Amino acid sequence: MNENQKRGSFSGTLGFVLAAAGSAVGLGNIWRFPYLAAKNGGGLFLLVYIILALTFGFALLSTEIAIGRKTNQGPLTAYGKLNSKWSFLGLFSSVVPIIILPYYCVIGGWIVKYMIAFLNEDMLGTTADGYFGGFITSPVFPIVFFVIFLFFIALVVYKGVNSGIERLSTILMPILVVLMIGIGVFSLFQNHTDGSVTRTGLDGLKIYLIPNFEGLTFKKLLTVIFDAMGQLFFSISVAMGIMVAYGSYVPKKTNLLKSVNQIEIFDTVVAMLAGLMIIPTVFVFQGQEGLSAAGPSLLFVSMPKVFNAMGGIGSLIGIAFFLMVLFAAITSSVSIMEAIVASFMDKFKMTRQKATVVVTVIALVLGLIVCGGYSFYYFELTLPNGSIAQVLDIFDYISNYVLMPITAILTCILVGWVIKPQAIIDEFTANGEKFPRRGLYIVMVKFVAPVMLVFLLLQQMFNFIK
Ligand code: PHE
């Protein structure tokens, strides 16, 4: 076997694009994007988001995929191969997925539980708040579902890039899109009367799509930009080692620029569909106030309440919804585990099978600590950004809010100033392809992206613009 066969590789462009899009499309698209859009003036947020995706997002995503393909290494060793003094950056970008994988799988377990709850109609007639609180604080069940979810992810990664990850993504991603469109269309035709007011899905759609400039101040615009930037940054799965790992499995003949564009379009379209699905539904059943929920409370409390309020068909929509969320979480979790497995294979010359077992054990231990944060040793800690945290939130804060922007800033410095942007552009044009956004790319990696990321880091850490 030659080196490539041993490491594995995607069979072609489509497999790579769907796997990378599967990584990008995750809980972030579903539980944060719609909320941020509703909070930040609807269409205004969408516009800012798209502009950032075409500039900032494009530069970061291109850089990581090219680093992977150029070095043919997982994140832990890729940076050192570009410049031996920068090996430490590999460590940063491998620590991030090690922290994220366990808590993402804990949430994956919650999703499995909710899908089953809708299947058995357990949820009907409960207050969704009580149900969620009761579930996550129970000492055993969250662990059981976490372990089921983690083992499934491990199985996919164990089977390898081609017969595991690629095959799974080519099945799940199309189904996910169909489910989203179906639920989205359904949500537009909903209406509900509360006392004397009737709200329709179309009213909700207007909140989502029409730009709202009312009361727009400079400070508010800054918040919109930061929210869009933070969201985009998390959504395209950069600074977590994932895109470097996936890039390292991309065949040399693949057109990278086209792939980057397709991944970004896929991710953005799915985020927008998530908004189309969630904003009208929540607005119809809970009004404007319902739209202020994000994160776990949107997924595990607000949405179940909406499904309960729909009556008979609610269970069916609930099942479809949680199945869709489950698919999104599975493909993202697989990618984050793969980032670590690739690192271990390349650094310690382990087989894929052995690396997968080691990573699963690490995730299992850390995941148990996360689960226990809601039961055995429940505590509340106030983070520097003002939010109240349990173990899961602390893991999220360290990885997502602190280490990821630092990793991305350092990557921009390495590429922009040490190995120079041309090294990345050469990877994009290796088969004679054109790279029309050359000037934009160079300005972005050298100046604009690192400066924006420094502000993002400070904002996320301390939340100084409120
Ligand atoms: N893009 C993913 C999301 O939106 C981010 C992610 C990928 C998180 C992989 C965890 C694992 O959720």
Side-chain angles (χ1 to χ4, degrees), residues 245-290:
Y246 275 15
S248 75
Y249 304 128
V250 177
K252 286 285 177 202
K253 62 177 193 314
T254 290
N255 182 325
L256 285 188
L257 183 62
K258 262 198 198 149
S259 309
V260 168
N261 290 340
Q262 288 168 357
I263 297 164
E264 280 212 304
I265 292 173
F266 203 117
D267 184 48
T268 308
V269 167
V270 169
M272 295 205 170
L273 278 176
L276 190 72
M277 199 172 67
I278 287 172
I279 296 179
T281 328
V282 172
F283 177 74
V284 165
F285 288 94
Q286 297 176 351
Q288 196 82 36
E289 282 142 54

Side-chain angles (χ1 to χ4, degrees), residues 206-262:
K206 284 189 203 144
I207 299 185
Y208 180 40
L209 292 182
I210 300 178
N212 178 0
F213 296 102
E214 209 183 288
L216 187 66
T217 55
F218 178 66
K219 200 168 141 192
K220 178 119 197 298
L221 186 63
L222 271 185
T223 328
V224 176
I225 296 174
F226 273 122
D227 278 351
M229 195 160 82
Q231 173 62 18
L232 173 69
F233 182 61
F234 185 71
S235 195
I236 54 176
S237 295
V238 289
M240 311 178 178
I242 296 174
M243 291 300 172
V244 175
Y246 275 15
S248 75
Y249 304 128
V250 177
K252 286 285 177 202
K253 62 177 193 314
T254 290
N255 182 325
L256 285 188
L257 183 62
K258 262 198 198 149
S259 309
V260 168
N261 290 340
Q262 288 168 357

Side-chain angles (χ1 to χ4, degrees), residues 23-24 26-29 100 104 234-237 240 242 332 335-336:
S23 171
L27 294 176
N29 299 55
I100 295 181
Y104 213 78
F234 185 71
S235 195
I236 54 176
S237 295
M240 311 178 178
I242 296 174
S332 295
S335 72
I336 203 120

